[in-house]
Amino acid sequence: MNLKTAFQDNDRAVSPVIGVILMVAITVILAAVVGTFVLGLGDQIGGSATAGVTVDGDNTTDVTVTLTNLGTAESVKIVDSNGTSINTVDTGVTGNLPMNSTGASVTLDGTTPGGNSYNIVAVGPGGEQSVLRSFQVASP
């Protein structure tokens, strides 16, 4: 058996058409990856602000909101059902708003203006806002 002729009998190979299709596909994928990095399309994706809060006494006359984890937020505020931020100077509010340190807490009673439905909102570094939780304060 001649070693040279043993390997020359095998005529199987990839068709030139399939080879060209594979080369074009690889080129398109590489161009897309390089273009994404060069144009910086991944930098435009933003996240929402997150924080950890606990609400004690939901739907009672005294509701206490405590900031347990600041997460990606710069501060946490409380907003009434009209979209107005509750302030420390408002009637029925005990504590400092906005909350910007872990362990800070605010208590709202039934005399707080703005109705009885409130949202806790995390405010991120770029000004983005995310609703963390809603709660109710019962009227006295």
Side-chain angles (χ1 to χ4, degrees):
M1 173 173 171
N2 189 355
L3 208 62
K4 194 174 196 180
T5 58
F7 290 111
Q8 290 178 350
D9 290 341
N10 192 356
D11 290 336
R12 293 194 289 175
V14 177
S15 153
V17 174
I18 293 181
V20 169
I21 291 173
L22 288 174
M23 295 271 274
V24 169
I26 291 171
T27 304
V28 169
I29 291 170
L30 284 174
V33 170
V34 170
T36 302
F37 284 117
V38 169
L39 297 175
L41 296 177
D43 297 339
Q44 296 174 358
I45 300 172
S48 58
T50 60
V53 294
T54 58
V55 178
D56 295 325
D58 189 6
N59 210 13
T60 63
T61 56
D62 288 318
V63 178
T64 302
V65 178
T66 305
L67 181 61
T68 57
N69 183 357
L70 203 52
T72 61
E74 287 186 343
S75 64
V76 173
K77 64 182 181 177
I78 298 176
V79 179
D80 66 14
S81 57
N82 299 324
T84 306
S85 294
I86 302 299
N87 295 313
T88 303
V89 296
D90 290 335
T91 307
V93 178
T94 307
N96 292 323
L97 283 170
M99 296 181 283
N100 53 13
S101 62
T102 303
S105 65
V106 174
T107 301
L108 283 76
D109 62 25
T111 62
T112 306
N116 63 349
S117 179
Y118 300 94
N119 291 322
I120 303 169
V121 178
V123 180
E128 70 269 4
Q129 298 183 6
S130 300
V131 175
L132 300 175
R133 179 157 183 214
S134 298
F135 65 94
Q136 303 282 327
V137 178
S139 299

